[in-house]
Amino acid sequence: KNQVEQSPQSLIILEGKNCTLQCNYTVSPFSNLRWYKQDTGRGPVSLTIMTFSENTKSNGRYTATLDADTKQSSLHITASQLSDSASYICVVSAQAGTALIFGKGTTLSVSS
Amino acid sequence: NAGVTQTPKFQVLKTGQSMTLQCAQDMNHNSMYWYRQDPGMGLRLIYYSASEGTTDKGEVPNGYNVSRLNKREFSLRLESAAPSQTSVYFCASRPGASGQDTQYFGPGTRLTVL
């Protein structure tokens, strides 16, 4: 069964600190993996997208990595800001299909 | 460019009432989607429309109907609302039906069924 598991479920860090969120998937055949940011009360917004051949993709202070062999991805946030407080959702797309498989998300709280 | 817009933002219904959630996009996208998001669960696909004139069931279609009114608009109808349909509903669109295309989400409709 195609699944996307994220960890941790929630995380609290101090402003300025770094953090890493994890995503493991069992989607096959794999097409691409996205990380979305969802602010409270808003719709998800795409941060990065990586295909099978890409190991790393950056978007400002956000860096996503992908290991297609172990079917793992991580999202690293550098020098966190209060505005990084949000839910981060890992989404995997299977080849030749329109369906996206969503993880349940990691809720990040950045405190001052 | 407004992107994806949804109306209403909030709605409270009584069990058995009906209502239609509206969604429109101004990005000339071909594909449109309806999801629901419940606490502790990932987004789940209700229905989608890969192109104007077509609609298909997603993971959780029971109790819902959709209409792709034109290329811009995709509505979701609850014919007889049930408390289990209390959720946040998101509409999304993307340029094509390819898995490579990014989905753009609306702000959501928060629905409570009493």
Side-chain angles (χ1 to χ4, degrees):
Chain A
K1 181 182 177 183
N2 289 331
Q3 283 187 317
V4 176
E5 301 285 344
Q6 292 188 242
S7 62
Q9 187 174 1
S10 62
L11 183 62
I12 301 173
I13 62 173
L14 288 175
E15 187 179 13
K17 297 296 186 182
N18 304 335
C19 68
T20 301
L21 314 180
Q22 301 290 342
C23 173
N24 297 337
Y25 61 92
T26 57
V27 178
S28 183
F30 173 85
S31 175
N32 59 69
L33 184 147
R34 294 177 174 83
W35 283 94
Y36 278 86
K37 179 187 180 188
Q38 184 176 20
D39 292 316
T40 301
R42 310 287 291 270
V45 175
S46 179
L47 290 174
T48 64
I49 176 172
M50 289 182 293
T51 59
F52 185 89
S53 59
E54 295 176 297
N55 300 119
T56 304
K57 184 72 71 75
S58 291
N59 179 358
R61 294 179 296 102
Y62 301 101
T63 300
T65 65
L66 174 65
D67 186 334
D69 291 331
T70 62
K71 299 186 177 181
Q72 295 179 325
S73 176
S74 65
L75 181 68
H76 186 75
I77 304 174
T78 303
S80 62
Q81 301 176 357
L82 296 178
S83 60
D84 293 330
S85 295
S87 178
Y88 292 84
I89 303 171
C90 177
V91 185
V92 181
S93 176
Q95 279 186 357
T98 60
L100 302 179
I101 299 94
F102 289 79
K104 295 179 181 180
T106 292
T107 301
L108 174 66
S109 298
V110 181
S111 60
S112 57
Chain B
N1 242 2
V4 179
T5 58
Q6 294 182 234
T7 56
K9 286 188 169 57
F10 300 93
Q11 184 71 49
V12 178
L13 293 177
K14 294 181 180 178
T15 297
Q17 288 184 318
S18 62
M19 79 160 295
T20 300
L21 281 64
Q22 305 287 353
C23 173
Q25 51 90 10
D26 61 2
M27 296 175 282
N28 201 35
H29 287 172
N30 288 310
S31 301
M32 298 185 73
Y33 304 79
W34 275 106
Y35 293 91
R36 61 178 289 172
Q37 186 176 41
D38 301 296
M41 302 189 72
L43 283 149
R44 292 183 292 169
L45 182 64
I46 303 171
Y47 270 94
Y48 68 99
S49 171
S51 61
E52 187 178 357
T54 68
T55 61
D56 286 289
K57 295 179 180 179
E59 181 185 354
V60 288
N62 291 345
Y64 305 95
N65 285 302
V66 290
S67 294
R68 184 75 183 266
L69 305 170
N70 47 55
K71 191 170 185 179
R72 289 187 64 249
E73 299 172 289
F74 189 38
S75 63
L76 178 72
R77 183 160 178 84
L78 287 71
E79 291 291 351
S80 178
S84 61
Q85 295 178 305
T86 293
S87 188
V88 181
Y89 291 86
F90 289 99
C91 178
S93 71
R94 64 182 182 184
S98 165
Q100 300 284 355
D101 294 332
T102 295
Q103 282 196 356
Y104 295 84
F105 286 84
T109 294
R110 283 140 191 84
L111 175 66
T112 301
V113 183
L114 303 175

